């Protein structure tokens, strides 16, 4: 059985704002589940651990920066 944590706890563990986690949920980077009684976002602890591993390996950070750099180059050359 999976252990779930609140958005507040996930935010503290990852060192990121709750807004970032909500945005990641919307974009599909980190799926949030809903508490059955209050409908608040909750996260599987194993998913948080996977994100930590990705951050430690620079997978998430590097991919985002490369994508942003490519977009900026295209926008700059077209502008």
């Amino acid at each position: 059985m999976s252990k779930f944590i609140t958005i507040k706890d996930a935010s503290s563990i990852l060192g990121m704002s709750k807004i970032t986690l909500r945005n990641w949920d919307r974009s599909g980077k980190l799926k949030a589940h809903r508490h059955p009684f209050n409908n608040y976002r909750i996260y599987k602890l194993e998913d948080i651990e996977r994100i930590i591993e990705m951050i430690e390996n620079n997978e998430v950070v590097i991919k985002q920066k490369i994508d942003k750099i490519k977009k900026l180059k295209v926008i700059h050359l077209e502008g």
Side-chain angles (χ1 to χ4, degrees):
M1 183 171 205
S2 297
K3 182 176 179 180
F4 290 90
I5 60 173
T6 65
I7 191 169
K8 179 180 178 182
D9 292 337
S11 172
S12 294
I13 290 168
L14 293 172
M16 298 185 182
S17 71
K18 294 177 197 174
I19 293 170
T20 297
L21 296 181
R22 288 182 188 107
N23 288 334
W24 282 10
D25 181 26
R26 283 187 208 103
S27 69
K29 290 180 185 178
L30 178 61
K31 183 179 179 347
H33 302 270
R34 294 294 181 155
H35 192 282
F37 297 117
N38 58 22
N39 206 34
Y40 290 165
R41 283 180 174 87
I42 53 176
Y43 297 89
K44 285 185 179 181
L45 191 54
E46 63 197 44
D47 291 342
I48 300 299
E49 290 169 349
R50 181 179 49 82
I51 292 293
I52 291 170
E53 185 177 317
M54 291 174 73
I55 291 170
E56 287 173 348
N57 293 329
N58 291 326
E59 292 175 27
V60 173
V61 176
I62 289 172
K63 184 176 185 326
Q64 287 178 341
K65 287 183 180 176
I66 289 171
D67 288 346
K68 285 182 181 180
I69 290 168
K70 286 180 183 176
K71 288 178 186 176
L72 288 174
K73 284 182 181 177
V74 171
I75 291 170
H76 180 71
L77 291 174
E78 291 177 355

